Amino acid sequence: MSLLVVGLSHRSAPVSVLERASLAADTQAKLLQDTLAAEPATEAAVLATCNRIELYADVDKFHAGVAELSTLLAQHSGVGLDELTPYLYVHYEDRAVHHLFSVACGLDSMVVGEGQILGQIKDALARGQELHTAGRLLNDLFQQALRVGKRAHSETGIDRAGQSLVSFGLQQLAAGADPGLWARGKRALVIGAGSMSSLAAATLARTGVAEIVVANRTRSRADRLVEILQQGDDTTVRAHAVEMSAVGDELTRADVVVSCTGATGLVLTADALADALGVTLDTPAEPEAVTAAPAPADVDQHAAWVENGSATSAPAAPRRVVLPAQSTGPVRLALLDLAMPRDIDGAAHRIDGVRLVDIESLADASADAPMAADVDQVRTIVADEVAAFGAAQRAAHVAPTVVALRTMAADVVAGEIARLDGRLPDLDEKQRAEITQTVRRVVDKLLHAPTVRVKQLASEPGGAGYADALRELFDLDPQTVAAVSRADLNDPNRGRS
């Protein structure tokens, strides 16, 4: 079997495609189950974040695996295969390992060096374990990826190459000012209480905002996040939770809004934001009106309508915002949208007094971010760890055969000792024990060199065939070898952190 990853990320696809292809938690579970049901795959894990969707699988056929995984991604994301295919990338065996290790270290992140990806990889592993779709290979792979990521952050200055997506977003909202000075005394509204929203709330608290209001569809989760914020030793922020229905009222009092929910539609529309700021939105045909830019996800839908010039089948025209030209005055409301698909209407940036930073603008801003010298050191770590992981996997491949060989040898010794008992029944216990120990030492010495050497040879590139040779030379029962492999795979202590 071989490791295969098929996916798309901010590096391969526009944000509009990533937004449409995002996978909800229940969809991820169904994708994993369907992948395991597909013929080429025996293990599966999915890594889905705001800027990447990757499906990992242990497959027995490369081309069939690529075709099946690509089709499954298209089916579950809702983006047609023909449209999705140009944005997909494929990594196989060592290249797939290298890719995940690079992702874990933050080398492939939108903001280089960000550490949140480690939590997302841990979540992906936990999901695969919970659904029993992650077997020996993927357990080993993801556990090692977590260790490599932690090593990169502890042994290098990769953290200096970039910040978390939240910190980078706040830096963009501050527009060149010191984020701490910019945030001091502000009132923040955090919409959502998941991992990203929790990180955003904690970051805002450390940055120095005076108050944080948390809104979430499940009130108990919002209450829990508030409790965590108030227990922090490094902040004195005031925090409380509200129902989602109170978001409109909270907007009128907020200075900063961070939103990251799992909603499939907009959480904050331009109308709601305009109402909060006392701005009127209308759809007259005055030439001076400013046409709000459609969200990237809607561009293709509008394109066909515009090209055909058909008003009868057209979608609703883009809203026209009756406002002065783009504001040059002070920012009254700063919006950070970290959701995929987006939570905040893209037209918000046209509203006077509003500054909007979203995943797309973060991607543009981070493209010019300087790379730290530590990145080269991290790349060296990744290369070394990929080689070590490959060697360990190849050695592990031969291990069940070695165990089966030693088991067979032990059975032979036991059989011969039993025959000896029948031929020499007058042996006392001391004599019998000495003979047994001598025979075992002889067998162990004969097997020691070849088994150690075969493990060494198997760990080298191209060494997978040594296990097959060992089975042939000693006429080992394939079922016995398979039983050893299954016992190793079913070990409850394996692959757990």
Side-chain angles (χ1 to χ4, degrees):
M1 303 300 286
S2 301
L3 178 65
L4 173 67
V5 56
V6 177
L8 67 161
S9 74
H10 65 99
R11 294 185 182 275
S12 70
V15 172
S16 58
V17 174
L18 280 172
E19 187 175 45
R20 292 168 54 207
S22 62
L23 302 174
D26 56 343
T27 306
Q28 293 177 39
K30 186 65 166 63
L31 172 59
L32 287 174
Q33 293 163 348
D34 289 351
T35 302
L36 215 60
E39 183 178 343
T42 60
E43 299 182 34
V46 61
L47 178 59
T49 72
C50 59
N51 53 30
R52 75 177 63 252
I53 302 168
E54 297 176 344
L55 182 56
Y56 291 77
D58 189 5
V59 300
D60 58 0
K61 299 174 184 176
F62 172 74
H63 293 291
V66 171
E68 189 66 38
L69 267 59
S70 300
T71 300
L72 288 167
L73 275 175
Q75 290 175 349
H76 290 79
S77 68
V79 179
L81 183 59
D82 289 344
E83 182 180 359
L84 192 64
T85 298
Y87 305 114
L88 293 177
Y89 47 76
V90 175
H91 299 297
Y92 191 55
E93 295 187 326
D94 282 354
R95 289 183 62 86
V97 177
H98 188 282
H99 174 74
L100 181 60
F101 288 3
S102 297
V103 169
C105 293
L107 292 179
D108 199 60
S109 294
M110 186 177 294
V111 181
V112 174
E114 61 93 10
Q116 188 191 4
I117 186 64
L118 286 174
Q120 294 163 334
I121 290 174
K122 187 174 182 179
D123 290 342
L125 173 60
R127 187 180 303 110
Q129 291 174 337
E130 180 182 355
L131 297 173
H132 305 290
T133 63
R136 182 174 62 190
L137 175 61
L138 293 185
N139 267 293
D140 288 350
L141 175 69
F142 276 71
Q143 289 282 3
Q144 187 65 19
L146 291 171
R147 287 190 286 268
V148 174
K150 291 174 183 176
R151 180 187 168 193
H153 284 281
S154 64
E155 295 183 13
T156 75
I158 189 66
D159 293 330
R160 295 193 298 268
Q163 309 97 339
S164 72
L165 203 58
V166 174
S167 299
F168 190 60
L170 293 178
Q171 192 176 78
Q172 296 304 304
L173 285 179
D178 178 85
L181 295 175
W182 172 81
R184 187 172 300 165
K186 283 184 166 55
R187 192 173 193 270
L189 170 63
V190 175
I191 304 176
S195 58
M196 181 70 85
S197 297
S198 298
L199 176 62
T203 304
L204 285 166
R206 288 194 302 269
T207 303
V209 297
E211 184 177 357
I212 296 176
V213 178
V214 180
N216 191 59
R217 296 190 187 281
T218 305
R219 176 61 184 266
S220 60
R221 295 190 66 183
D223 290 333
R224 176 57 181 156
L225 177 53
V226 167
E227 182 182 345
I228 293 172
L229 290 173
Q230 292 176 331
Q231 289 174 348
D233 295 332
D234 55 347
T235 70
T236 56
V237 68
R238 301 189 305 276
H240 69 274
V242 298
E243 303 288 345
M244 283 293 289
S245 58
V247 164
D249 291 335
E250 294 299 332
L251 283 174
T252 63
R253 295 185 285 271
D255 302 301
V256 185
V257 177
V258 180
S259 187
C260 186
T261 72
T264 55
L266 292 176
V267 174
L268 293 181
T269 64
D271 293 300
L273 293 166
D275 288 344
L277 295 175
V279 176
T280 302
L281 299 183
D282 207 343
T283 55
E286 287 88 344
E288 68 274 16
V290 180
T291 302
D298 299 327
V299 171
D300 292 340
Q301 298 173 7
H302 288 290
W305 165 63
V306 173
E307 184 176 355
N308 294 333
S310 170
T312 57
S313 59
R319 177 168 50 251
R320 298 171 68 80
V321 183
V322 186
L323 289 172
Q326 192 79 347
S327 171
T328 57
V331 174
R332 298 168 57 193
L333 185 60
L335 307 172
L336 178 57
D337 186 358
L338 299 173
M340 184 67 71
R342 71 190 65 205
D343 280 348
I344 302 176
D345 194 336
H349 78 284
R350 295 287 188 179
I351 301 176
D352 191 24
V354 169
R355 175 177 294 145
L356 170 63
V357 172
D358 56 17
I359 293 293
E360 192 164 25
S361 58
L362 283 175
D364 292 340
S366 64
D368 299 325
M371 299 287 284
D374 301 274
V375 168
D376 288 336
Q377 188 178 352
V378 173
R379 287 174 176 156
T380 300
I381 289 175
V382 168
D384 291 343
E385 292 284 358
V386 169
F389 182 83
Q393 288 297 306
R394 289 188 290 271
H397 179 70
V398 78
T401 303
V402 172
V403 172
L405 174 59
R406 289 192 172 275
T407 300
M408 183 189 74
D411 291 342
V412 170
V413 170
E416 290 303 315
I417 294 299
R419 287 180 61 191
L420 185 64
D421 286 342
R423 292 183 177 182
L424 300 173
D426 295 332
L427 286 175
D428 60 34
E429 284 299 320
K430 182 177 181 181
Q431 292 170 327
R432 185 180 182 278
E434 186 62 34
I435 293 172
T436 301
Q437 186 63 28
T438 299
V439 175
R440 285 175 177 169
R441 279 198 298 265
V442 170
V443 171
D444 286 343
K445 287 181 178 180
L446 287 173
L447 291 180
H448 177 73
T451 53
V452 169
R453 184 60 178 148
V454 78
K455 288 181 180 179
Q456 293 172 341
L457 292 171
S459 68
E460 298 173 0
Y466 287 101
D468 297 332
L470 203 60
R471 286 194 295 270
E472 288 294 326
L473 286 171
F474 288 92
D475 194 24
L476 296 175
D477 181 5
Q479 294 300 321
T480 302
V481 176
V484 174
S485 299
R486 286 193 297 272
D488 183 51
L489 182 60
N490 293 327
D491 182 351
N493 296 317
R494 183 183 184 88
R496 300 286 176 176
S497 58

